[in-house]
Amino acid sequence: FVDLEGWQAQQQDAVDVSSWVCMYPSYFCKERSLSNGRRVPLESALPSVCAAEVYEATKRVVPPEYVRIENKTYCRDYLNRGRIRVSLKDCSAKAKNRQQLFLAVAKELPFVRSAMEQAQAMAQAQLKPNKKNKGAKDAAAAIESAKDVAAMAAAAAAEEGEES
């Protein structure tokens, strides 16, 4: 999951990201046409992609220290917040140029989406109140354990992606 408050902390880094590749969630959205902002083939695109999914998928393709997320919007889709910036120059990524990066991220998105859906389902199952223990402490513990489950599911999905 993406920490929204962490966006501002990443902005304060002394790294010049002006030459980094920009990606928006609309680049991977199946509902958009190529002229409206989609940058990947239709068969690689997914419906309703959010910035958190693109960020997590990008971290699987590029080492995390070369990925930044910003609280910006795409001019063609101003309601979907989030811009991901990636440095391809200094890292040993699977992608060597913009188009390879977009295709590699699009390939990882289904695995990330399924891991996030599993984590949400686990959190919902754990948040159901039972008669013995009700309260905010239980909800907070359930959310923390759901984050742990999401991390484990993401790691398992990454292993599946590497095997295929």
Side-chain angles (χ1 to χ4, degrees):
F1 297 102
V2 176
D3 180 22
L4 297 178
E5 287 80 27
W7 287 2
Q8 297 301 326
Q10 287 182 357
Q11 292 295 323
Q12 296 172 357
D13 290 345
V15 178
D16 179 27
V17 295
S18 63
S19 64
W20 290 21
V21 175
C22 290
M23 291 190 304
Y24 294 95
S26 296
Y27 290 6
F28 307 96
C29 193
K30 195 171 215 164
E31 291 91 13
R32 297 198 161 269
S33 64
L34 288 173
S35 61
N36 282 336
R38 183 171 41 86
R39 302 287 172 98
V40 297
L42 193 58
E43 57 271 2
S44 299
L46 292 176
S48 302
V49 179
C50 70
E53 292 172 334
V54 176
Y55 180 66
E56 293 298 323
T58 306
K59 289 195 310 186
R60 291 179 175 204
V61 175
V62 178
E65 60 268 12
Y66 296 104
V67 180
R68 299 278 193 268
I69 187 164
E70 301 171 337
N71 192 12
K72 302 287 185 178
T73 60
Y74 187 44
C75 61
R76 297 179 187 174
D77 187 15
Y78 57 87
L79 295 177
N80 194 357
R81 297 196 71 82
R83 174 172 70 188
I84 293 84
R85 289 203 140 175
V86 181
S87 173
L88 294 177
K89 293 181 180 177
D90 301 327
C91 70
S92 59
K94 298 176 188 175
K96 300 299 178 199
N97 58 35
R98 295 170 59 92
Q99 193 59 33
Q100 286 180 2
L101 175 67
F102 295 157
L103 292 174
V105 170
K107 187 177 178 182
E108 292 293 328
L109 276 173
F111 300 117
V112 170
R113 179 169 281 182
S114 66
M116 287 184 156
E117 287 172 354
Q118 287 175 356
Q120 286 178 342
M122 294 287 290
Q124 291 297 326
Q126 291 179 355
L127 286 177
K128 288 183 182 177
N130 57 17
K131 293 180 182 178
K132 291 183 181 177
N133 33 348
K134 297 179 182 177
K137 290 182 180 178
D138 294 333
I143 290 171
E144 287 300 318
S145 65
K147 287 181 181 178
D148 295 338
V149 169
M152 291 187 305
E159 290 175 8
E160 286 178 17
E162 291 175 2
E163 290 175 4
S164 60

